[in-house]
Amino acid sequence: MTTAKAIWWQNLTAPDLLAHARKDDIAVLPIGAIEQHGPHCPCGSDDFNAIGLAEHLSARTGVMLLPCPMYGSHPFHHWGMPGNIPLRFETHIALIEDIIKGAKVAGFNKFIILSAHGQVSSTIVAVHKLGLANIFTLSLHWYDFLRDQKTILETGMWHADEAETSMALYLYPQFVDMSKADKGGGAPLVDKRFIVGPGMPAGPGMMYHFEGTFARPEVRELKNGIIGDATRATVAKGEAMVTTVVGYMADLIEDIRSRYAPGVNPLETEPPADSPWTK
Ligand SMILES: [Zn+2]
């Protein structure tokens, strides 16, 4: 872990935060959820994954990290699963809005939500509500930055599986019991060829996996709380995933820094004469 070099908001004084924002006004908000992760990984896995990725990112780029709220929102099919504590969508949207609006008061103008849990149903709404409030916010799931996952993983990325368990083994092995790792999963309500799974490259005739009621409630569907194959998890895969995600995120931060000086709100800049979309 890189805790010592990560810059966390909650560890600093208000004058320190103001001084940081004058030099670099980007802040990253890691978010996860409280959710069961099978018999082998802890219920805080998504928070720990978000926090671990954020710490590696901050150690590499010097970016400010906002404190991670432990609770998140959940797709409908997670509700009622023992171990899960879902926030209502409205609660989670308001939580994100309030955190980012609060951080803006200290001089931060660019925000990146780093999610390690399937909660685009609230994060995307929060982004657009913040846009209406003139606040620049990007929201990504680490799956989005692992579209080259086949170079690292043998299976897709779902839940408490090869991907998440590998990251857990790399970031917080003390909470993982591989003797209980297993395979599991259910079946989608339409053929899987129509569904873009997490981090999968999209193809023709496919919908993103949160664009429909594709799943039965997990409490009826899942036998062991796993979707995928946790037995294939390794520390090396976890390290490769973290390095890949942090690499792309560092590029994104560099792009934002190169375009907009500290103190500049990207939403208030003038458009260039030539549109890059027509090239
Ligand atoms: Zn998870």
Side-chain angles (χ1 to χ4, degrees), residues 35-37 45-47 49 116-118 141-143 158-161 164:
E35 181 187 10
Q36 69 77 28
H37 275 72
S45 288
D46 291 345
D47 295 308
N49 289 341
H117 172 68
H141 192 293
W142 56 263
Y143 289 158
W158 290 101
H159 179 71
D161 56 349
E164 287 196 315

